[in-house]
Amino acid sequence: MKLTHNWKIQYFEEGQERDLVIAAPDYIDHFWMTANVPGDVHSTLIQKGLIDNPFFGHNDLKSKWVSEKIWWYRTEFHYDKKNLQSDERLELIFEGLDTYATVYLNGCEIASTENMYIPHVFDVTREVLDGKNIIAVKFDVVADVLKEKEKNYWAGYGKDRIWARKAQSHFGWDWGPQIVTTGIWKEVRLEKRKIAKIDSVFARTVEIKNDRAIVEIDVDTKTFVRNKPLAVNVKFHDGSNGMIKTAQVTRNHVNFTIELENPKLWWTHDLGTPHLYTLDVELLCDDETIDSETTQVGVRTIEVMQKDAEGNNRFTFVLNGVEIFAKGANWIPIDSFIGATPDSRYSQLLTQAREAHMNMIRVWGGGIYERDIFYQECDRLGMLVWQDFMFACALYPDYNYNYMQNVRTEIEAAIKMLRNHPSIAIWCGNNENDWLYEVEYTAGNINTPFYGEKIYHELIPELLDELDTSRLYWPSSPYGGNDHDSQEVGDRHNWQVWHGNVEPRKFGENLGQDYSVEGVSFKNYKKDFTRFSSEFGMHASANRFTLEDNLPEGTFYWGSDEMSYRNKDYHHQKGIMLMEGYTGIPTDIEEYMNFSMLTQAEGLKCGIEHYRRNKPFTSGALVWQLNDCWPGTSWSMIDYYQLPKASYFYAKKFFHPLLLTIDHDVGSDLKIWVVNDYVEAYTDELELKIESFNGEELFKTTIPVEVKGNSSVEITSFTEEEVLKGYPANEVVVHLSSTDGKAQHNVYYLRDQKDLALPQAQLDVVVDKENQTATIKTDNLARMVKLEIPAKKIHFSDNFFDLLPNESKTIEIGHLENEKVDLDMLRVSAINSIQ
């Protein structure tokens, strides 16, 4: 039975009342406030109007007191215990407690917990009463629990977090506020067990060969009543077709081998269908079903090729024998208030990622092992997951026995929780700890051993050897080479762009930083020939409505303190320098939104098209970052209100499996490339056209192409002189397209945005309310046409696009939750449009 109703919460000061008094069944909690479970304290207080929205203005500072109080949860439930048999037991299950909690049932202290990430299961057979029962949960103040802990070694973004096994980003990061949550953030339930239960199920594809797949299934059980004969039935099926096997349980374990003829494989959505089989598992005693479990299983193999046939270093994911280019983004926690976030938000964001042709999402190591809905959606949508363990940008106390026991329990639980998902492609030990330790140690900023090393290089691989050897374990990200951020080996985080890191470097060398327009420029991406780029990106403004809705009246202007507060990366100058190099420095809020979004979009396009042209030696590009946890300015491609930025719409082209791309630098040739990520060959005729901003055709040619599957090819090249014919380079637009419409067209400029001599463009907008569309037409070239409606979750079929001279385009407008959209509020503009 679910225990998610009738919860109440209240806060207490330290020593205000004895715990056993508050936990007692007869304690009067009538005037406590009601609370949602799953959820958290902050969300309850917001809902009740007891704290102002922490995301508005500086309100997060006003709510600091919440994390400084002791919070109690209480609920009442009724249970009919009369029919409970002697071979039955009751388990009280908390899927997630955040974080330092003491659980009481009918006044009895059941347990204390100290890990947000793991489920807690308690045998309460004797403690549950017939009739009324009271659960009370006390949450201690995180800072108070940790105040005596050793913290005299390196940790970014706060020292408390290195001891706390909770979302590290709750302590603040360079893209989100410090909001230290507390509460019951996952489901609570009471389950009746008889004799034994299924402890875990693990299904994995061992081999796919000659239209035949071999799947192994391990079932582990836990016995409550000894010397009872147990058996396991498994049914592996796909609709009406299925395979059933039965085996006796020996020492709490059963293993099955299933052979499938002509299996339907699980593919990423760009290569095929992410087919899912259903695995039903039943535990029987004397032919009576005493427990059951159902899970979705994908038949697929996944590996990471680290050397090709010629001995070249690679970092290429191979799915069902097919080398893939990983295209996607990094995922941070979906909200500062994770437990209160509806499942629909996960489904919508991941669908948005898929629609941008992403085939991999990296779950970053400073957040959480995501909720079930995340992995279920990735399985369903055909998106691979790079899964970090939750350690990021810090040294962790691996010398402490109790801490390591806590971590061991966490890692084991995480592996068992996630290993059945076909979307999980790789396990990764941490985010940046190996790299940053060596960098900071070399610089003299760290003088301690590499605390945490035992976790990533001993404990995790030991547990994976026992629990899951079907995927690669990678100790850290980035990792490999003579500098863990090497472009020659393993994966790399390119923070030369944005942070100005001077690369390459080697172990023992200081990491320089070049804070200059040239040092942070996105053009530096083209110097990077990494095997796999698992982090890179740059800031862009959130959308207008997202900002305006969270700023006090009169503060929505460029340079205001409130606008500055939206940006949690204190090196604000980096973003200014990036814009200075490409668009010029903004002078008002409108220019800031436009210039930052255009710089991010064009910058990511520059980097990703370069990485993809270097296929297969570069085999992946994961943007930092997909999403936001609050309405701020960050590296995200989709802001907190799920309104995509310009870079998201650019991604629909630069991540498309068929990429028509031009490699060009000022004054050099235009090199025409085709990147084909499909396994089938691509045959087409391309059109390259150069025209002036007012529509005069200067150059046009067609290019026949035949590109084999899974390859990247330079087709031909043209000099600037050939295509310009004496016309100024800063007054032309280049477009490359498929004459048959097989691939998306691509648009380029031969000079930086700040150097373009853009004419004024007159936009003509016709709105069709019945069909929910807007048709935009322009006389001259319109640069970055932007559609805006002041509401959350608005969906445009395209946005932030360039409209060629005398071209018109019809945009479909909708809402992610199918709400009615007020088209009277539509605003359309371009960087060079007449306002």
Side-chain angles (χ1 to χ4, degrees):
M1 61 185 292
K2 289 186 178 181
L3 301 175
T4 53
H5 300 293
N6 306 316
W7 286 92
K8 296 181 177 182
I9 64 170
Q10 184 58 277
Y11 74 83
F12 292 82
E13 305 290 349
E14 180 67 39
Q16 179 179 338
E17 185 63 273
R18 293 177 58 235
D19 291 353
L20 289 178
V21 172
I22 303 172
D26 58 356
Y27 184 85
I28 298 175
D29 58 18
H30 180 74
F31 295 106
W32 286 24
M33 68 191 87
T34 57
N36 291 329
V37 169
D40 60 82
V41 168
H42 283 83
S43 297
T44 300
L45 299 178
I46 295 168
Q47 186 181 44
K48 301 293 184 186
L50 296 176
I51 60 173
D52 295 328
N53 177 8
F55 293 162
F56 184 87
H58 281 63
N59 284 351
D60 59 312
L61 301 179
K62 293 166 60 176
S63 64
K64 290 287 186 186
W65 66 269
V66 177
S67 60
E68 297 168 356
K69 306 296 182 183
I70 296 170
W71 288 93
W72 281 80
Y73 278 67
R74 280 175 59 99
T75 192
E76 175 184 321
F77 70 93
H78 289 255
Y79 192 80
D80 183 358
K81 200 174 179 182
K82 298 183 183 68
N83 297 322
L84 192 69
Q85 304 299 312
S86 60
D87 60 358
E88 294 177 329
R89 65 163 50 186
L90 296 174
E91 290 184 339
L92 179 60
I93 302 168
F94 290 88
E95 291 291 347
L97 293 168
D98 179 16
T99 291
Y100 295 102
T102 307
V103 179
Y104 298 85
L105 176 58
N106 297 322
C108 296
E109 181 178 334
I110 301 300
S112 294
T113 73
E114 53 179 356
N115 197 312
M116 172 185 183
Y117 301 126
I118 63 176
H120 303 279
V121 182
F122 309 121
D123 178 2
V124 293
T125 309
R126 294 179 303 176
E127 288 68 40
V128 169
L129 303 177
D130 185 39
K132 176 182 172 181
N133 291 266
I134 299 293
I135 300 174
V137 184
K138 174 193 177 186
F139 289 94
D140 288 313
V141 178
V142 172
D144 288 349
V145 173
L146 302 175
K147 63 185 176 182
E148 299 300 327
K149 294 293 185 182
E150 182 182 5
K151 302 166 193 169
N152 62 349
Y153 45 85
W154 174 74
Y157 312 107
K159 301 274 189 176
D160 275 354
R161 70 182 183 87
I162 60 179
W163 289 91
R165 297 314 298 152
K166 73 183 262 98
Q168 302 289 273
S169 55
H170 282 170
F171 297 87
W173 220 266
D174 54 6
W175 37 257
Q178 182 188 84
I179 300 178
V180 183
T181 59
T182 194
I184 302 174
W185 75 285
K186 282 189 174 183
E187 186 179 271
V188 185
R189 63 186 185 275
L190 186 71
E191 290 191 355
K192 183 167 70 172
R193 306 293 192 182
K194 182 174 182 178
I195 300 173
K197 69 175 181 178
I198 298 169
D199 190 53
S200 70
V201 176
F202 182 30
R204 70 257 184 219
T205 307
V206 176
E207 182 182 71
I208 300 173
K209 190 175 181 180
N210 299 327
D211 296 322
R212 188 174 66 99
I214 298 176
V215 178
E216 284 201 5
I217 302 168
D218 285 309
V219 180
D220 290 313
T221 63
K222 187 172 183 179
T223 302
F224 309 131
V225 180
R226 296 174 62 84
N227 301 318
K228 291 282 187 177
L230 299 177
V232 171
N233 277 350
V234 296
K235 182 180 180 182
F236 195 92
H237 62 100
D238 174 22
S240 58
N241 298 318
M243 184 176 297
I244 299 175
K245 287 198 172 186
T246 303
Q248 299 300 309
V249 176
T250 303
R251 294 183 179 178
N252 285 321
H253 182 76
V254 182
N255 174 265
F256 298 92
T257 298
I258 291 179
E259 295 187 11
L260 300 173
E261 297 293 335
N262 300 310
K264 297 177 182 178
L265 303 184
W266 186 93
W267 292 98
T268 51
H269 63 87
D270 50 343
L271 293 179
T273 300
H275 187 82
L276 293 171
Y277 287 88
T278 299
L279 174 62
D280 296 321
V281 180
E282 291 181 317
L283 179 62
L284 300 98
C285 181
D286 294 327
D287 297 325
E288 178 189 0
T289 300
I290 57 175
D291 198 8
S292 64
E293 184 174 312
T294 296
T295 187
Q296 299 293 302
V297 176
V299 176
R300 65 100 182 96
T301 59
I302 188 79
E303 58 183 317
V304 180
M305 178 197 300
Q306 297 185 56
K307 291 279 187 182
D308 65 16
E310 288 73 40
N312 300 304
N313 290 329
R314 296 273 289 277
F315 201 86
T316 305
F317 285 85
V318 182
L319 177 65
N320 300 327
V322 176
E323 296 179 23
I324 68 171
F325 191 101
K327 303 179 290 266
N330 286 256
W331 176 279
I332 65 168
I334 199 165
D335 202 295
S336 292
F337 309 115
I338 304 165
T341 302
D343 285 355
S344 60
R345 184 171 172 87
Y346 280 90
S347 301
Q348 290 159 8
L349 269 169
L350 288 169
T351 298
Q352 286 177 295
R354 185 188 186 279
E355 289 175 352
H357 305 292
M358 298 184 192
N359 62 14
M360 179 177 281
I361 299 292
R362 176 180 174 228
V363 178
W364 167 76
I368 61 171
Y369 307 98
E370 270 299 346
R371 284 166 39 184
D372 291 344
I373 182 65
F374 173 89
Y375 302 100
Q376 291 165 0
E377 286 296 276
C378 288
D379 292 344
R380 182 181 67 85
L381 293 169
M383 299 176 68
L384 293 170
V385 175
W386 174 306
Q387 180 65 53
D388 281 7
F389 290 96
M390 294 301 116
F391 306 91
C393 301
L395 301 181
Y396 289 89
D398 61 0
Y399 52 83
N400 182 277
Y401 176 83
N402 292 336
Y403 181 86
M404 289 295 281
Q405 290 301 108
N406 190 12
V407 168
R408 173 180 286 273
T409 303
E410 170 191 321
I411 300 303
E412 182 174 347
I415 295 169
K416 288 183 176 180
M417 178 177 69
L418 302 180
R419 62 186 177 178
N420 279 317
H421 291 284
S423 54
I424 300 289
I426 188 172
W427 300 108
C428 181
N430 68 74
N431 174 76
E432 297 189 341
N433 291 350
D434 289 64
W435 171 48
L436 290 178
Y437 174 79
E438 194 275 328
V439 167
E440 296 299 325
Y441 187 87
T442 296
N445 299 324
I446 293 177
N447 56 13
T448 66
F450 181 14
Y451 295 138
E453 183 178 23
K454 292 180 181 179
I455 300 172
Y456 331 124
H457 295 274
E458 296 179 22
L459 177 61
I460 297 176
E462 169 197 326
L463 289 172
L464 283 169
D465 281 345
E466 176 187 343
L467 300 171
D468 181 18
T469 58
S470 68
R471 303 166 174 92
L472 176 69
Y473 172 64
W474 197 240
S476 183
S477 181
Y479 191 77
N482 191 3
D483 174 19
H484 289 310
D485 204 31
S486 165
Q487 68 173 346
E488 287 85 14
V489 182
D491 72 314
R492 184 181 186 210
H493 293 187
N494 186 324
W495 289 118
Q496 180 175 7
V497 179
W498 183 262
H499 288 307
N501 290 351
V502 177
E503 301 282 2
R505 71 175 284 273
K506 294 182 178 180
F507 290 144
E509 297 177 352
N510 284 326
L511 176 62
Q513 290 189 308
D514 181 0
Y515 289 131
S516 69
V517 171
E518 295 76 18
V520 304
S521 170
F522 64 70
K523 295 175 185 178
N524 289 312
Y525 284 136
K526 294 180 71 172
K527 302 174 184 176
D528 183 8
F529 291 89
T530 178
R531 307 300 92 176
F532 192 106
S533 189
S534 49
E535 261 195 36
F536 63 100
M538 61 202 79
H539 271 200
S541 170
N543 285 275
R544 180 193 309 274
F545 177 67
T546 308
L547 292 173
E548 283 189 317
D549 198 45
N550 289 282
L551 293 175
E553 185 176 355
T555 64
F556 182 60
Y557 62 89
W558 179 235
S560 75
D561 288 345
E562 290 289 350
M563 274 297 299
S564 179
Y565 197 65
R566 297 288 103 189
N567 185 350
K568 296 305 181 186
D569 182 4
Y570 59 87
H571 295 295
H572 290 195
Q573 189 62 27
K574 299 171 187 174
I576 301 298
M577 288 188 293
L578 266 162
M579 288 184 284
E580 181 181 354
Y582 184 67
T583 61
I585 298 174
T587 59
D588 57 34
I589 191 67
E590 189 74 25
E591 284 193 340
Y592 165 65
M593 291 187 294
N594 287 337
F595 287 5
S596 66
M597 281 209 198
L598 184 59
T599 300
Q600 183 194 51
E602 291 285 353
L604 292 179
K605 175 182 177 180
C606 171
I608 288 164
E609 291 192 352
H610 163 72
Y611 289 141
R612 292 188 66 188
R613 286 192 296 264
N614 196 44
K615 171 182 176 168
F617 299 107
T618 299
S619 295
L622 306 181
V623 177
W624 183 267
Q625 62 205 61
L626 178 69
N627 57 311
D628 272 329
C629 70
W630 83 306
T633 297
S634 79
W635 295 264
S636 72
M637 302 174 77
I638 302 173
D639 74 24
Y640 179 71
Y641 282 176
Q642 288 176 254
L643 301 176
K645 302 178 184 180
S647 61
Y648 171 83
F649 291 97
Y650 272 52
K652 288 188 172 185
K653 293 184 179 180
F654 62 58
F655 276 153
H656 192 280
L658 276 178
L659 174 66
L660 311 181
T661 170
I662 300 176
D663 182 12
H664 171 260
D665 297 306
V666 172
S668 65
D669 292 353
L670 286 72
K671 301 173 184 176
I672 314 301
W673 286 71
V674 173
V675 182
N676 179 14
D677 285 348
Y678 290 126
V679 293
E680 302 85 8
Y682 167 58
T683 303
D684 201 354
E685 187 174 71
L686 308 186
E687 179 183 87
L688 176 68
K689 185 163 70 171
I690 289 84
E691 58 185 327
S692 69
F693 291 156
N694 61 10
E696 179 185 354
E697 186 177 295
L698 305 174
F699 179 88
K700 181 178 178 180
T701 188
T702 56
I703 309 164
V705 295
E706 186 170 346
V707 179
K708 66 179 183 179
N710 220 352
S711 63
S712 174
V713 180
E714 181 179 351
I715 303 299
T716 187
S717 65
F718 302 90
T719 66
E720 284 194 357
E721 290 77 11
E722 281 181 90
V723 300
L724 289 173
K725 301 184 185 303
Y727 208 87
N730 66 337
E731 297 182 21
V732 302
V733 57
V734 181
H735 37 111
L736 180 63
S737 60
S738 160
T739 58
D740 289 338
K742 294 180 180 179
Q744 297 192 8
H745 78 279
N746 216 337
V747 175
Y748 294 87
Y749 298 88
L750 301 183
R751 298 296 182 264
D752 290 338
Q753 173 67 25
K754 61 181 171 40
D755 299 321
L756 298 182
L758 291 172
Q760 285 193 323
Q762 179 69 54
L763 299 182
D764 179 39
V765 182
V766 177
V767 174
D768 182 342
K769 292 184 180 179
E770 181 178 351
N771 294 306
Q772 294 281 284
T773 64
T775 300
I776 303 113
K777 186 175 182 180
T778 183
D779 53 356
N780 295 319
L781 178 128
R783 182 70 160 126
M784 201 173 84
V785 177
K786 177 172 63 173
L787 290 80
E788 299 173 289
I789 291 176
K792 302 176 182 179
K793 301 190 178 188
I794 298 296
H795 176 269
F796 296 107
S797 59
D798 199 4
N799 205 352
F800 302 99
F801 53 87
D802 292 353
L803 205 55
L804 300 175
N806 302 309
E807 181 185 22
S808 67
K809 187 166 188 174
T810 299
I811 304 301
E812 297 173 359
I813 304 171
H815 191 278
L816 294 178
E817 295 182 352
N818 298 316
E819 294 181 6
K820 184 174 177 56
V821 179
D822 184 0
L823 295 188
D824 288 333
M825 304 296 288
L826 176 65
R827 179 178 186 267
V828 181
S829 63
I831 283 181
N832 60 320
S833 64
I834 300 171
Q835 300 298 319

